Amino acid sequence: MSSIHLFLSNSISPATYLHRSCTLQSGRFSIPSNYFKVTACVNAEVKAPGLAKLGFGAVTKEVMEDEGRVLVGTYARTPVVLSSGKGCKLYDVEGREYLDLTAGIAVNALGHGDPDWIRAVTEQANLLTHVSNVYYSIPQVELAKRLVACSFADRVFFSNSGTEANEAAIKFARKFQRILHPEAIHPPTKFISFSNSFHGRTLGALALTSKEHYRAPFEPIMPGVTFLEYGNSQAAIELIQSGTIAAVFVEPLQGEGGIYSATKEFLQSLRTACDDAGSLLVFDEVQCGLGRTGDLWAHEAYDVFPDIMTLAKPLAGGLPIGAALVTERVAAAMEFGDHGSTFAGGPLVCNAAVAVLDKITKPGFLTSVATKGKYFKDILMQKLGGNSHVREVRGLGLIIGIELDVSASPLVDACRQSGLLVLTAGKGNVVRLVPPLIISEQELDRATEILLKCLPVLDG
């Protein structure tokens, strides 16, 4: 399969929702592409009007049209077809270059094409990719040993994603309470979560996610979850003391929710209340963990430690993995067959994760993240803080949010057209900046310049 680059002078137009009409009836149709032809027993007419007028090149247009025919429409995609990347740069099929401050939604901690990561993946792929958890494998054990050595945890359960890690934490908490209260007819089974929280999209993790529009289409979902205001210690303490709470789920720093940081007093109050009541404290560090804040784990800045911590996004540097790190007393509640996964903790992804963890924990790496994060936050406040639409610049390390008084979408679109990729968060009014942790100060300067140049679009 060859790589195609078409260098065009036009810029990419702002994201546009493309309405597709499709009629199906008896017959046959063909879906052509550059590389193959698929024939199926239906007749489809798919329309994506106006693509050529939006300034897209031929390859981008074809990919977007093909996507509209064959994928379930669950993503409102940005109209860019990315084809390659190196370091903190990405390139689309038309040859345009972008400075990447999304890192695959805080996944690509080492950027794109890190040579040590590539070496770990290719060497392991040549040895052994998958065996299932019926058998032992060395990379899985090695990764677990490293995670235990550098955290509060005694044991690790591997999954394939952050939402699966949180599903495991839900099950671990329920089982733990049954063991803790062997004579109880109704042991604690309820959970506390908080406003602006995001814990995943499977039914259990979704039940812990505060945004109603994520949950409403799939109700009824797991009952027994109470949402409290993030940071409201008193309300949390009172509910924990009721004796019905199996576990409290909290993000030390909320990513999807809008880049809100907890306080030490809030997390400490949860820790104390859980200890007194026998509830478990779960820290979701799927987005904020593994170096993103400048500490290896976000909760280290508060000197408060959980019973369970869930991880995922950056752990394998772009390959799918999740993990639930637990104390010995939580692990002791689980027995063979209580939980499992066919793909979780396979040799390939675990060897990739070992490479990521080894690099992030090298002397000086986390210090550089903290230094660059402070530098970036300072120059953003200096150059953007005076704009009337900018309410606040907040965050820790290299997870930073710019809260606006209007929707962030026009700014995100304008930045993309100027060669900068950023995300939204919160209620759509926060620009989320989560670059690869290897980003340079020069690249952060460039990102700031583009953001500053594009700010006037908010006036419209």
Side-chain angles (χ1 to χ4, degrees), residues 11-124:
S11 63
I12 308 172
S13 298
T16 303
Y17 184 80
L18 302 175
H19 296 277
R20 301 181 179 94
S21 61
C22 181
T23 57
L24 302 177
Q25 55 189 356
S26 178
R28 301 179 68 84
F29 79 98
S30 297
I31 303 174
S33 79
N34 287 344
Y35 312 114
F36 56 83
K37 178 176 285 188
V38 178
T39 303
C41 297
V42 290
N43 182 17
E45 179 187 351
V46 181
K47 297 179 180 178
L51 278 179
K53 296 180 180 179
L54 292 175
F56 300 125
V59 180
T60 297
K61 179 175 178 290
E62 180 181 8
V63 172
M64 291 174 64
E65 288 178 338
D66 285 349
E67 187 269 355
R69 296 185 182 99
V70 297
L71 289 179
V72 177
T74 56
Y75 297 106
R77 298 184 191 271
T78 297
V80 175
V81 181
L82 297 171
S83 60
S84 64
K86 188 64 178 176
C88 297
K89 302 289 181 59
L90 283 167
Y91 303 88
D92 68 17
V93 291
E94 317 298 345
R96 285 167 286 212
E97 180 184 279
Y98 303 87
L99 179 56
D100 180 18
L101 265 66
T102 72
I105 314 183
V107 168
N108 300 309
L110 302 183
H112 306 279
D114 178 81
D116 296 322
W117 183 89
I118 291 173
R119 188 178 305 110
V121 171
T122 54
E123 288 178 355
Q124 188 59 48

Side-chain angles (χ1 to χ4, degrees), residues 151-152 268 271 281 283 297 299-300 302-307:
S151 73
F152 72 94
Q268 185 60 65
R271 177 71 278 171
L281 181 59
F283 285 170
W297 314 117
H299 66 265
E300 289 180 331
Y302 307 98
D303 198 31
V304 179
F305 300 91
D307 302 292

Side-chain angles (χ1 to χ4, degrees), residues 170-315:
I170 290 169
K171 292 179 71 174
F172 291 178
R174 287 266 181 93
K175 182 69 185 300
F176 174 83
Q177 295 296 344
R178 289 187 180 278
I179 299 300
L180 189 64
H181 303 88
E183 305 301 323
I185 299 176
H186 300 294
T189 59
K190 296 181 180 181
F191 299 95
I192 293 175
S193 188
F194 295 93
S195 58
N196 302 314
S197 62
F198 183 86
H199 296 290
R201 295 181 184 271
T202 50
L203 287 180
L206 185 62
L208 297 166
T209 295
S210 66
K211 289 185 179 180
E212 187 176 356
H213 73 268
Y214 285 147
R215 293 181 279 116
F218 309 104
E219 292 178 342
I221 53 180
M222 182 182 74
V225 178
T226 299
F227 292 102
L228 301 176
E229 181 186 1
Y230 189 68
N232 190 333
S233 299
Q234 189 57 42
I237 291 170
E238 291 176 3
L239 188 51
I240 293 168
Q241 289 175 341
S242 70
T244 63
I245 302 302
V248 178
F249 280 74
V250 62
E251 299 157 272
L253 190 155
Q254 296 180 323
E256 174 76 15
I259 321 298
Y260 292 106
S261 299
T263 64
K264 180 174 182 176
E265 292 73 23
F266 174 53
L267 295 183
Q268 185 60 65
S269 70
L270 297 179
R271 177 71 278 171
T272 301
C274 285
D275 288 341
D276 292 343
S279 301
L280 295 180
L281 181 59
V282 183
F283 285 170
D284 180 336
E285 295 213 12
V286 168
Q287 184 164 166
C288 65
L290 207 66
R292 175 61 57 183
T293 62
D295 289 299
L296 185 59
W297 314 117
H299 66 265
E300 289 180 331
Y302 307 98
D303 198 31
V304 179
F305 300 91
D307 302 292
I308 303 174
M309 176 173 64
T310 56
L311 307 174
K313 287 184 180 295
L315 183 53

Side-chain angles (χ1 to χ4, degrees), residues 380-391 393 452 455:
L380 287 170
M381 292 174 66
Q382 176 188 340
K383 295 193 174 184
L384 278 64
N387 185 278
S388 61
H389 294 294
V390 176
R391 288 180 173 175
V393 178
L452 181 61
L455 273 179

